[in-house]
Amino acid sequence: MDVLQFKELFSQEYGGNNKEPVHCFFSPGRVNLIGEHIDYNGGYVFPAALSLGIYGAIRFRSDQLITLKSTNALPVIAVDLKQPILYKAEDGWANYPKGVIKHLLVDGHLLKGCDILLSGNLPDGAGLSSSAALLVLVTFMLRQAGGEKDIDRVQLAKFCQKVENQFMGVNCGIMDQFSVAMGRRETAILLNCDTLHYKYTPFALEEYSLVIMNTNKKRELAESKYNERRGECEQVLEIIKGHCQVTSLCQVSLADIEAYVKDDILLRRARHVISENNRVLLAVELLEKRDIIGFAKLMTQSHMSLKNDYEVTGLELDSIVENALKIPQCIGARMTGAGFGGCAIALVVTSKLEQFKTAVAQGYQKRTGLIPDFYAASIVDGVQSIEC
Ligand code: GLA
């Protein structure tokens, strides 16, 4: 669907005669290139905003109702700004915008009634941050269409993380919201999740392409396992704090981990975190020197660490990555996002993309019985208003 079709759909859904203008927006998904399960440990991540994402259209009304509709999911919800806004399981996807509305009101924003339509092409639960894209989109739409200029995008990301943590009860880090709010065309973001200092690095791949491979395995246990990993990292930090002055796990050296952490599982979790954080910095250095092969090798090492030490991959992600790496023209591959299903990424010689997809799909289906999807997305700007 293009923007004009989207605007037409808005008129069909909400009627076309209203004198108020319709404002349109686009919010990207994100792919993390390297630096997984690092944001909540205070280290470096290296994500980018994707051309797959969510369109949003908004038109103000004369009353105090906010209507929320999506072309991707039910239900349709009307939020009355004069009533308390509560999380309700039966409201499904609409809890995200409800959380945004509630927290904007709590923070003192004046909101007006409006009709909102959303439509996305980001696969749900695939590790490409559809929830961050939705939260950042709705916040940005309500504020910008409401007349706010120069929205501070770092604050926007922090606000959306707060909504996800507090209203949705998801204990995520800052990486996803930051990428969606701060993305920049053809560049990836090196983000220090402790200080929120960041730097843009051109993501120029020369004769290679970034391929996103969806295992189509839904991330069922993702949330509980995610919290379990966070808990394990917190345990390690507590142990280390008994010996060294540190505030986050990424400040700890491997030598200190090996000296003080006796439990094998905790040791492996911490080893992933420390080694992954180092890999991010090295990867960015190599990319800046245009050593794409070196960068890709670190991607593969990242996957192995997530598989063996952090244990967040599973049959589907391992199988798709193994099948990708069997193809000589694939120079590196890894899972992306939280893991336990969802997407992986690969760097592949552009002229061999079709052969690559066919061979990976065959091998993967044979092993798992699932048919994968492949996306050729480009790297785009963060959330923005668009002509419609
Ligand atoms: C999810 C979370 C992020 C991050 C990644 C793992 O996407 O939302 O904050 O922790 O997992 O890197």
Side-chain angles (χ1 to χ4, degrees):
M1 181 164 25
D2 64 20
V3 184
L4 288 177
Q5 288 167 326
F6 180 53
K7 196 178 172 193
E8 179 57 35
L9 192 64
F10 186 93
S11 300
Q12 283 169 25
E13 292 290 334
Y14 288 116
N17 300 326
N18 192 308
K19 294 219 173 54
E20 287 285 341
V22 177
H23 305 270
C24 295
F25 296 83
F26 177 75
S27 183
R30 70 96 189 89
V31 64
N32 188 21
L33 299 164
I34 192 160
E36 218 64 82
H37 288 274
I38 290 297
D39 58 354
Y40 55 83
N41 285 307
Y44 289 96
V45 295
F46 194 50
L50 282 181
S51 53
L52 295 168
I54 311 177
Y55 286 102
I58 179 169
R59 188 174 67 193
F60 288 103
R61 306 165 47 115
S62 53
D63 59 14
Q64 294 286 293
L65 286 183
I66 297 186
T67 322
L68 301 164
K69 280 189 191 182
S70 162
T71 63
N72 301 96
L74 286 168
V76 174
I77 291 289
V79 176
D80 185 339
L81 290 170
K82 289 176 295 196
Q83 300 294 327
I85 299 169
L86 304 171
Y87 179 95
K88 284 189 197 147
E90 66 269 27
D91 289 350
W93 74 277
N95 281 302
Y96 288 93
K98 280 174 58 183
V100 167
I101 296 165
K102 178 180 169 145
H103 280 274
L104 283 175
L105 292 172
V106 169
D107 288 359
H109 291 268
L110 294 175
L111 297 181
K112 296 183 275 182
C114 55
D115 291 325
I116 290 180
L117 180 68
L118 303 163
S119 182
N121 56 8
L122 262 180
D124 256 6
L128 302 179
S129 288
S130 52
S131 53
L134 178 57
L135 288 169
V136 174
L137 174 64
V138 175
T139 311
F140 193 77
M141 283 168 81
L142 285 167
R143 290 179 58 186
Q144 202 181 74
E148 265 189 74
K149 304 267 180 306
D150 302 326
I151 295 170
D152 180 325
R153 286 171 176 259
V154 174
Q155 292 307 323
L156 173 68
K158 287 168 83 172
F159 171 86
C160 292
Q161 186 199 10
K162 180 174 77 179
V163 175
E164 189 141 4
N165 291 164
Q166 295 183 8
F167 195 83
M168 301 306 296
V170 177
N171 203 11
C172 60
I174 186 74
M175 172 172 75
D176 303 346
Q177 298 79 5
F178 197 97
S179 322
V180 173
M182 294 289 292
R184 187 182 284 179
R185 197 167 173 254
E186 288 170 16
T187 69
I189 314 168
L190 175 64
L191 171 66
N192 177 328
C193 299
D194 197 19
T195 60
L196 294 191
H197 290 152
Y198 59 93
K199 168 174 115 170
Y200 292 108
T201 300
F203 193 59
L205 293 177
E206 300 174 6
E207 72 264 42
Y208 302 98
S209 291
L210 174 72
V211 185
I212 301 172
M213 311 181 284
N214 190 347
T215 61
N216 284 324
K217 154 90 164 87
K218 290 278 175 235
R219 298 180 305 146
E220 282 138 19
L221 285 172
E223 212 178 295
S224 59
K225 288 283 176 196
Y226 185 88
N227 289 338
E228 191 181 293
R229 293 295 174 278
R230 282 195 75 144
E232 288 162 349
C233 291
E234 278 156 24
Q235 281 182 52
V236 176
L237 186 59
E238 280 313 306
I239 296 172
I240 301 293
K241 276 182 174 168
H243 303 274
C244 318
Q245 277 224 323
V246 288
T247 51
S248 70
L249 193 48
C250 285
Q251 295 165 354
V252 183
S253 69
L254 202 52
D256 281 341
I257 297 286
E258 280 166 358
Y260 301 123
V261 181
K262 301 296 170 213
D263 178 271
D264 177 59
I265 290 187
L266 294 185
L267 180 68
R268 286 191 288 122
R269 304 298 187 246
R271 193 164 60 197
H272 164 72
V273 172
I274 313 294
S275 65
E276 181 79 352
N277 194 41
N278 293 337
R279 267 188 296 274
V280 175
L281 292 175
L282 188 55
V284 174
E285 208 179 297
L286 293 178
L287 191 64
E288 283 170 347
K289 287 190 202 144
R290 300 181 155 204
D291 181 354
I292 300 164
I293 295 190
F295 179 86
K297 282 190 180 144
L298 290 171
M299 282 173 51
T300 306
Q301 283 175 24
S302 163
H303 185 87
M304 297 321 289
S305 174
L306 287 155
K307 176 183 178 199
N308 299 322
D309 279 347
Y310 217 63
E311 296 184 280
V312 290
T313 55
L315 170 73
E316 293 79 7
L317 282 167
D318 289 335
S319 165
I320 209 154
V321 164
E322 276 159 28
N323 277 290
L325 291 171
K326 273 186 202 158
I327 317 288
Q329 291 83 8
C330 171
I331 56 171
R334 62 181 291 273
M335 56 154 273
T336 186
F340 309 106
C343 286
I345 53 177
L347 294 188
V348 183
V349 175
T350 306
S351 60
K352 300 289 176 199
L353 277 182
E354 288 315 310
Q355 294 94 313
F356 171 82
K357 290 183 207 168
T358 312
V360 172
Q362 270 174 6
Y364 176 73
Q365 189 179 358
K366 201 165 155 204
R367 179 89 195 279
T368 63
L370 294 169
I371 298 171
D373 282 316
F374 297 91
Y375 313 115
S378 50
I379 293 184
V380 301
D381 287 327
V383 65
Q384 58 192 304
S385 63
I386 49 175
E387 289 289 324
C388 67

